[in-house]
Amino acid sequence: MSAMQASQPQTAAAIDPIELAVFKSATHSIAEEMGAALRRTSFSPNIKERRDYSCAVFDSMGQVIAMGDHMPVHLGSMPMSVKAVIESMTLRPGDIAMLNDPYAGGTHLPDITLVLAVFAAIDAEAPLMYIAVRAHHADVGGLYPGSMGLCREIYQEGLRIPPVLIVDGGEINHAILQLVLHNVRTPEERKGDLLSQIGACRVGELRLLELIAKHGAERVCRLSAALLDYSERLMRAQFAQCASGSYTAEDFMDSDGFDETPLPIRVTITLDNETQTAKVSFKGCHPQVRSSINAVYAVTYSAVYYVLRCLLPEDAPATAGLMRPVIVETERGSIVDAVLPAPVAGGNVETSQRIVDVLLRALAKAMPDRIPAASSGTMNNLTIGGVDHRTGKPFAYYETIAGGMGARPTADGISGIHTHMTNSLNTPVEALEYAYPFRVIHYGYRAHSGGEGQYRGGDGIVREIELLAPSTITLLTERRKFAPYGLQGGADGKRGVSYLRSGETEEELPAKCSIQAKAGDRIRVETPGGGGWGKRY
């Protein structure tokens, strides 16, 4: 069994609320600026256009004190990567650690994290703060271009990197860099994106040093502690307003991709308004499977963090303090807490979404007037790889395609938008056709795919791409069997579907598959709509 234990309220010396608000905004803006630097300098459309990255700031203990408005599935789990670095090595000024190991706080292998320690002075004995930058790389080796196909064990999914120094004493560790580049299909793009991540770390370091120079190291530590305490008080205040009780829900993954057996995900949320705490138990979930839809504990914890954060006001600081009053309990070896050698590429992108769905379904029983219906519930992962006939070089395209947002208790859902554990964008048609040997045939809303109700679920998207070179197509999708649920009498959203058109023949594709396609073939993905909310009178 794995569990994160709730802790008692912390106390810190009195801090002026205005000064704390300024500090909160300053650290948040540093994380945002790091993201902007990464986006402007990166090579791949997945980072530059889709913004599949996240940046955060941590205190001297590795507790997150500020996050950019980036990817929830990255951000909630990133502290565990920082912890893995702290426990495995001693960072010095100028060092930057790199890792992607899902069993060391990562999410899946394409998400590579860089961690830098910030020292108040060159001769300081220990770091005052840490910063981290995580980005999804469009290929990290493995069986399939894009590193997102169905595998039987993690060793088939790509290069697994423990905490190592990518920058040692201010100098790039070329041996480590070459080791990575020799194991991926697109080394030039990977090198460019890694260097962009290093640059983003340097931007964060510079801005934090300016902040430390302004406030002083001791004051920065006190402000960081106060920010953690403030976040904890906000979460406890939310629990104090909830009705005490245990709320249970269940939802299903369509299948593991190798057989059609549905996989249950169950949760019980126990709220106590007297102690102002919550216990989130995932006992009873399906055991881990021999396919890539297992989620590691860091992903499950991240989903809980995201859902509970959504209960708070928009301006609430997203820090580690939010989870102090929360216990997250799982069963080791389950689909929500996988152990080696389980493959996990899809756990990060698909199972994480179902965990959110089941958490919200349980909370809807506790606070029915606040919780929206299910959104599309899948990231609709599409990966295409091959050799670009224009350059003669390998390419690897990866994209998550948006769907419909679930209807809310006061408004319709939004159409064609990334929801919950993803906060990325769709690749623009112009960027897609420029970067890859593709032609976009259709890109628009999937009409009438949102569920009906007092408030209507958002519609999904239709994306149809013609291949201009022979390619390997890999799909990793969900909500093809179990539709996004409606709430309070609202109708379910429409399930997703994908097709391959070759000449005059069109066939429906399995939700999870990898196929070979010819030049001129077309792949069409129709994403799910969101569920409706309330009865339509």
Side-chain angles (χ1 to χ4, degrees), residues 113-396:
T113 304
L114 301 192
V115 179
L116 178 147
V118 179
F119 293 81
I122 296 297
D123 59 350
E125 294 184 0
L128 185 70
M129 307 183 84
Y130 293 88
I131 53 180
V133 177
R134 177 173 289 175
H136 183 114
H137 287 251
D139 185 87
V140 289
L143 286 177
Y144 305 99
S147 313
M148 286 294 294
L150 280 178
C151 296
R152 293 290 190 179
E153 55 184 6
I154 194 170
Y155 312 112
Q156 299 173 333
E157 293 189 315
L159 185 65
R160 181 168 158 236
I161 308 169
V164 294
L165 289 181
I166 185 64
V167 178
D168 189 350
E171 299 293 330
I172 292 177
N173 188 333
H174 289 283
I176 292 294
L177 180 60
Q178 289 304 312
L179 179 64
V180 173
L181 300 183
H182 276 70
N183 284 280
V184 300
R185 294 174 177 84
T186 52
E188 292 179 6
E189 188 175 270
R190 300 286 64 75
K191 181 179 180 181
D193 286 347
L194 282 171
L195 293 179
S196 295
Q197 284 183 261
I198 292 172
C201 285
R202 294 301 186 203
V203 168
E205 179 184 36
L206 176 63
R207 294 292 179 255
L208 281 177
L209 289 174
E210 292 173 349
L211 193 67
I212 294 167
K214 179 179 180 179
H215 293 281
E218 182 180 352
R219 193 66 177 171
V220 165
C221 290
R222 289 184 59 199
L223 287 165
S224 297
L227 199 56
L228 292 166
D229 291 348
Y230 175 56
S231 299
E232 178 183 4
R233 291 196 299 273
L234 288 176
M235 185 57 74
R236 288 185 180 276
Q238 173 60 53
F239 292 152
Q241 298 172 17
C242 297
S244 292
S246 292
Y247 306 94
T248 300
E250 179 182 65
D251 207 336
F252 294 85
M253 302 292 289
D254 290 342
S255 74
D256 68 5
F258 292 123
D259 66 52
E260 293 305 308
T261 305
L263 310 175
I265 294 180
R266 301 185 177 98
V267 70
T268 298
I269 303 176
T270 302
L271 302 175
D272 189 326
N273 57 23
E274 290 190 7
T275 62
Q276 301 174 7
T277 59
K279 179 180 178 182
V280 183
S281 174
F282 290 92
K283 289 186 176 181
C285 293
H286 196 280
Q288 69 184 53
V289 293
R290 290 203 68 191
S291 90
S292 299
I293 62 167
N294 301 292
V296 293
Y297 181 79
V299 167
T300 300
Y301 185 86
S302 188
V304 175
Y305 183 101
Y306 162 75
V307 169
L308 295 180
R309 167 66 183 84
C310 287
L311 299 178
L312 300 180
E314 186 175 348
D315 61 352
T319 79
L322 296 179
M323 294 296 282
R324 284 175 176 169
V326 182
I327 296 172
V328 180
E329 187 177 66
T330 61
E331 293 177 317
R332 293 281 286 168
S334 68
I335 198 174
V336 298
D337 188 1
V339 298
L340 273 172
V344 296
N348 175 58
V349 288
E350 295 303 298
T351 310
S352 67
Q353 295 284 62
R354 194 64 68 257
I355 294 170
V356 169
D357 288 343
V358 76
L359 286 167
L360 291 175
R361 201 170 203 168
L363 285 174
K365 300 175 181 179
M367 45 191 82
D369 295 333
R370 293 194 60 190
I371 304 301
S375 295
S376 57
T378 172
M379 296 194 197
N380 300 290
N381 302 270
L382 172 62
T383 311
I384 305 175
V387 176
D388 191 332
H389 65 284
R390 301 170 300 178
T391 63
K393 296 181 178 181
F395 71 90

Side-chain angles (χ1 to χ4, degrees), residues 53 64 76 142 211 271 369 447 456 468:
Y53 61 78
V64 64
L211 193 67
L271 302 175
D369 295 333
R456 191 175 179 279
L468 303 182

Side-chain angles (χ1 to χ4, degrees), residues 12-25 215 219 222-227 230 233:
I15 295 288
D16 178 69
I18 295 177
E19 184 182 14
L20 186 62
V22 171
F23 181 77
K24 183 202 81 165
S25 296
H215 293 281
R219 193 66 177 171
R222 289 184 59 199
L223 287 165
S224 297
L227 199 56
Y230 175 56
R233 291 196 299 273

Side-chain angles (χ1 to χ4, degrees), residues 14-56:
I15 295 288
D16 178 69
I18 295 177
E19 184 182 14
L20 186 62
V22 171
F23 181 77
K24 183 202 81 165
S25 296
T27 50
H28 176 263
S29 70
I30 290 171
E32 282 287 290
E33 186 176 354
M34 291 163 61
L38 175 61
R39 182 173 69 250
R40 289 195 302 267
T41 58
S42 59
F43 279 38
S44 68
N46 190 57
I47 298 175
K48 183 179 292 293
E49 303 289 351
R50 292 192 58 250
R51 306 187 184 188
D52 197 345
Y53 61 78
S54 298
C55 305

